[in-house]
Amino acid sequence: MTDPEVLVIGAGPAGLTAATYLGRFRRDTLVVDGGEPRASWIPVSHNMPGFPAGISGADILKRMREQAREYGAVVTAGRVAELAKEGQGFVARIDGRSVRARAVLLATGVVDRHPDLKGVERAVQRSLVRICPICDGYEATDKAVAVIGHSDKGAREAAFMRTYSDRVALIHIGPPEALTRQAALQRLGVEVILAPLDAVVLEKERVTALTWGGQTRAFDLVYSALGASPNAELARGLGARLSDDGRLEVDLHQATSVPGLYAAGDVVRGLNQIAVATAEAAVAATDIHNRLRRMDGQTLPD
Ligand SMILES: Cc1cc2nc3c(=O)[nH]c(=O)nc-3n(C[C@H](O)[C@H](O)[C@H](O)COP(=O)(O)OP(=O)(O)OC[C@H]3O[C@@H](n4cnc5c(N)ncnc54)[C@H](O)[C@@H]3O)c2cc1C
């Protein structure tokens, strides 16, 4: 592993898009990835621009990796355990080795919180339990939908699902006092069930029912709306500014509060969407290139 000019941490849609742009700006770019980008969980995406028939997450990532490599980016497996400032650049510990870079892009994504029920993670991967109404709410049109939620975040997702169906139930698994919007939800026509869930009943290719307190109820589709934790520890270690929900704060060019450290994709505030991740990555890569040009005296004087 030789030292690149730019280190990109994370090979999901954000990291790979940045690598393509940086490669085309003729920057030596290393992308390291700890495995299982969130995008790899997408069975079929129907809102990916340019793919009207849909495309799987695995195919999106394969195409993006090919494109990044076409322009010289090195994409490799590895986990960045530490990131520190060194002069104007950075030094990263990757699987026991030190790698230096002049700029770093964090494209580290988030980790979803799932209900603590056997088999749920597998059910999300198979799209039996869904986690992203903006991605696939359209496919829930006129279906009986359950939203598993905790606090008002679950309430907001259940309310959003009324865009698609008039049969929406919020199953609130937190303490009842954490749900402050119960009356407003009921006015919107959302059924509210306050109960800890016991099981998700899976039958072949679909979730057939949810059970709680001895009751079993069938739904066509189940959403889990328990939120996600941003992978922002490396930035936190550098003292970068984070927002209240733990995501990275960035400026209009995707620069964090640490000079030379950029961020794009789900780890940054905003919609967790591929189109957003790729747009942010394009902005970040362009600013990284311009920053390095300025540092090297390759720009016109103001
Ligand atoms: C089931 C499901 C369905 C979805 N459907 C859609 C859809 O239809 N349309 C849509 O637009 N979006 C969809 N999304 C959302 C989409 O997947 C994300 O918005 C997108 O993947 C974000 O890209 P990213 O590059 O920011 O992060 P990710 O794709 O999550 O990639 C982040 C990568 O960073 C790596 N990483 C983290 N920390 C480190 C470290 N310290 N060292 C090295 N590597 C590290 C991780 O291992 C991971 O591989 C869906 C998500 C899920 C889970």
Side-chain angles (χ1 to χ4, degrees):
M1 222 182 263
T2 53
D3 289 345
E5 289 182 283
V6 185
L7 173 64
V8 176
I9 307 178
L16 292 171
T17 300
T20 295
Y21 275 69
L22 288 163
R24 289 178 58 83
F25 295 144
R26 308 183 68 195
R27 295 289 174 190
D28 282 338
T29 304
L30 172 65
V31 188
V32 281
D33 187 69
E36 293 219 358
R38 205 163 173 252
S40 67
W41 286 39
I42 306 174
V44 183
S45 171
H46 292 283
N47 69 354
M48 175 81 183
F51 293 91
I55 180 167
S56 72
D59 278 349
I60 294 168
L61 291 167
K62 181 168 172 284
R63 285 165 183 253
M64 287 186 167
R65 272 194 303 271
E66 273 169 21
Q67 198 170 6
R69 286 181 169 138
E70 176 68 28
Y71 298 105
V74 174
V75 183
T76 186
R79 180 152 286 277
V80 179
E82 281 173 47
L83 186 62
K85 262 292 207 189
E86 191 181 74
Q88 288 192 302
F90 297 87
V91 57
R93 286 297 286 173
I94 307 174
D95 298 338
R97 300 177 57 183
S98 293
V99 171
R100 288 171 172 76
R102 299 180 68 195
V104 172
L105 173 70
L106 287 173
T108 45
V110 297
V111 176
D112 291 293
R113 285 182 221 117
H114 297 306
D116 188 16
L117 296 168
K118 192 165 167 274
V120 163
E121 203 155 297
R122 184 84 189 99
V124 172
Q125 284 170 334
R126 292 167 63 205
S127 208
L128 304 179
V129 171
R130 300 180 174 208
I131 56 175
C132 177
I134 291 179
C135 305
D136 49 30
Y138 183 85
E139 279 71 38
T141 300
D142 294 335
K143 302 253 168 70
V145 177
V147 176
I148 302 170
H150 187 298
S151 69
D152 289 340
K153 177 174 180 353
R156 284 192 293 276
E157 284 205 21
F160 178 80
M161 288 311 294
R162 288 284 287 112
T163 310
Y164 303 105
S165 175
D166 56 11
R167 289 181 294 154
V168 178
L170 171 67
I171 300 173
H172 188 262
I173 60 172
E177 60 278 13
L179 181 66
T180 67
R181 313 303 301 274
Q182 185 169 350
L185 270 180
Q186 282 162 335
R187 273 197 299 279
L188 288 177
V190 173
E191 182 187 0
V192 178
I193 298 160
L194 299 170
L197 268 182
D198 299 325
V200 172
V201 184
L202 301 175
E203 191 182 282
K204 291 195 182 139
E205 289 310 308
R206 68 187 205 104
V207 171
T208 49
L210 299 176
T211 67
W212 62 87
Q215 283 193 59
T216 298
R217 176 97 168 259
F219 294 96
D220 298 317
L221 281 176
V222 176
Y223 277 86
S224 168
L226 300 180
S229 306
N231 290 322
E233 303 77 25
L234 296 172
R236 194 190 298 273
L238 283 168
R241 241 191 331 269
L242 305 180
S243 55
D244 290 344
D245 63 2
R247 288 170 199 265
L248 274 159
E249 280 192 8
V250 293
D251 69 10
L252 288 175
H253 300 285
Q254 302 297 131
T256 70
S257 58
V258 176
L261 180 71
Y262 290 73
D266 285 2
V267 74
V268 179
R269 81 258 175 287
L271 279 174
N272 287 0
Q273 290 289 287
I274 292 172
V276 177
T278 55
E280 290 179 351
V283 172
T286 305
D287 206 61
I288 289 171
H289 175 57
N290 287 335
R291 174 183 163 83
L292 297 181
R293 286 174 59 230
R294 276 193 303 278
M295 287 168 77
D296 294 342
Q298 288 173 351
T299 52
L300 293 174
D302 285 337

